[in-house]
Amino acid sequence: MANRTIDHALTARSLTSAASDPTHAGILSFMRRKYSKQLKDVEAVVWGIPFDAATSNRPGARFGPQAIRRASAIFDNDPQYPFERDLFAAMATIDYGDCLLDYGNHSKTPATIEREAAKIIRSGAYLQTLGGDHFVTYPILKAQAAIHGPLALVQFDAHQDTWPDERGRIDHGSFVGRAVREGLIDTDASIQIGIRTHAPEDCGIRILYAYDVEEMSAAEIAETIIRQVGERQAYLTFDIDCLDPAYAPGTGTPVAGGPSSAKMLSVLRKLGALTVVGSDVVEVAPAYDHADITAIAGATVAMYMLGLHAEKLAERAPLR
């Protein structure tokens, strides 16, 4: 015990140091990363957006960042499976905390999220966001596209989120259609995986419906995604309701007939060929969860996304 510490999220002396907190104790940042608002020399940022006023069914995703952080404590010490490494040993990472939003003035929410996201992205750090309902992806895409140009959207979801919209409306079911109309995403390079609802339009985005996913192997799904995206820079967004409710009951709009967490994690693991500029996991609503099933799935998805970025940094290391 002499060399062990607790509350690593506050006491860490290095952004690449491993935590030694007991899994059941200590301050709960994402994977025990140091809480900080300082972006200098930071390579990856984990950021929460506790917002769910755009949801069309069950509310509660505003508690998603808290739940994901709590569930992530099980990953904080050993080399992270399946990456066979301490993801943070060579990737300076912080937990930036949450976006401060006025719960009584939702009209200001999109601009607030976009402004804070832009600050993080301009620093050069990789932004991993914890939602929040799926609307939060829209202002993040605006911030990303302002720097990188139109992006390939790789969307894991039960819903297309292309329902009709009107100017100024805040809705988690229409953000993709709005992003297409505003030129934030390249529809020819974008793809949606796990869809099992019908929207009035597909906006020209390729769809792998849930029945396709059921018949395909994880390798086939990943190959399809990589071919679709090509050389375009990509943004990964993972709505936890992509998973069947058996694997993610804690969400606002669950839809039966989806894939398992094991299969979708295997797909994510195989996306290392993509050039990913940012990512998020959204729609974790812990009030409807059981035994942290959904929160654990969400935390694992976020960890895989960071793992892919850590591997990219490792590939570039000799060039530094």
Side-chain angles (χ1 to χ4, degrees):
M1 295 292 289
N3 295 322
R4 293 176 66 88
T5 62
I6 197 166
D7 297 327
H8 187 267
L10 294 181
T11 62
R13 296 182 180 179
S14 168
L15 300 186
T16 57
S17 60
S20 57
D21 298 52
T23 302
H24 58 275
I27 293 172
L28 292 171
S29 62
F30 184 81
M31 293 180 68
R32 309 288 191 182
R33 292 304 88 202
K34 187 176 180 65
Y35 273 119
S36 177
K37 297 293 186 183
Q38 302 300 316
L39 294 168
K40 184 180 179 181
D41 298 324
V42 171
E43 293 171 297
V45 169
V46 180
W47 181 47
I49 307 182
F51 177 79
D52 64 6
T55 190
S56 56
N57 193 26
R58 304 187 304 196
R62 68 180 61 186
F63 297 104
Q66 289 180 353
I68 292 170
R69 286 184 174 108
R70 183 178 66 251
S72 76
I74 61 175
F75 304 128
D76 68 334
N77 286 319
D78 298 328
Q80 282 80 42
Y81 174 87
F83 297 95
E84 299 183 10
R85 68 176 72 199
D86 175 354
L87 299 183
F88 308 112
M91 182 172 70
T93 305
I94 62 170
D95 189 321
Y96 197 75
D98 287 342
C99 185
L100 177 60
L101 299 171
D102 182 352
Y103 69 88
N105 194 345
H106 299 312
S107 65
K108 292 185 177 181
T109 292
T112 301
I113 296 172
E114 181 183 353
R115 183 170 57 251
E116 193 76 8
K119 177 182 177 182
I120 297 168
I121 297 163
R122 283 196 302 267
S123 76
Y126 182 91
L127 177 57
Q128 171 63 52
T129 303
L130 313 176
D133 69 43
H134 217 159
F135 174 80
V136 306
T137 301
Y138 166 68
I140 296 172
L141 283 173
K142 289 185 72 174
Q144 292 278 10
I147 294 173
H148 301 292
L151 299 166
L153 183 69
V154 179
Q155 177 184 355
F156 295 82
D157 208 323
H159 311 86
Q160 294 171 248
D161 296 336
T162 56
W163 273 264
D165 201 1
E166 59 188 51
R167 187 175 179 84
R169 195 161 183 269
I170 298 178
D171 186 343
H172 72 161
S174 59
F175 85 92
V176 173
R178 187 184 296 187
V180 170
R181 290 190 295 275
E182 295 183 12
L184 307 180
I185 61 177
D186 178 356
T187 56
D188 291 336
S190 296
I191 187 168
Q192 298 173 321
I193 304 100
I195 303 299
R196 49 195 186 276
T197 52
H198 291 296
E201 57 180 328
D202 59 23
C203 294
I205 297 173
R206 179 164 185 184
I207 297 172
L208 288 183
Y209 287 102
Y211 56 76
D212 297 315
V213 169
E214 178 67 18
E215 296 298 324
M216 299 168 72
S217 69
E220 289 170 334
I221 296 167
E223 289 167 8
T224 302
I225 294 169
I226 292 167
R227 283 198 307 270
Q228 183 71 14
V229 172
E231 299 300 315
R232 175 70 76 178
Q233 291 179 309
Y235 185 87
L236 301 186
T237 181
F238 198 109
D239 187 325
I240 207 67
D241 71 27
C242 174
L243 305 179
D244 189 88
Y247 305 94
T251 192
T253 48
V255 183
S260 70
S261 53
K263 189 167 192 176
M264 290 299 94
L265 289 170
S266 184
V267 172
L268 282 174
R269 181 68 186 95
K270 294 174 172 61
L271 297 183
L274 298 183
T275 301
V276 181
V277 300
S279 51
D280 64 54
V281 56
V282 298
E283 298 284 0
V284 172
Y288 316 106
D289 209 358
H290 174 72
D292 287 340
I293 293 172
T294 313
I296 291 168
T300 309
V301 167
M303 185 266 283
Y304 271 53
M305 289 171 165
L306 287 170
L308 291 174
H309 187 64
E311 288 186 330
K312 285 290 187 184
L313 292 179
E315 290 172 7
R316 302 173 197 158
L319 301 179
R320 293 182 177 181

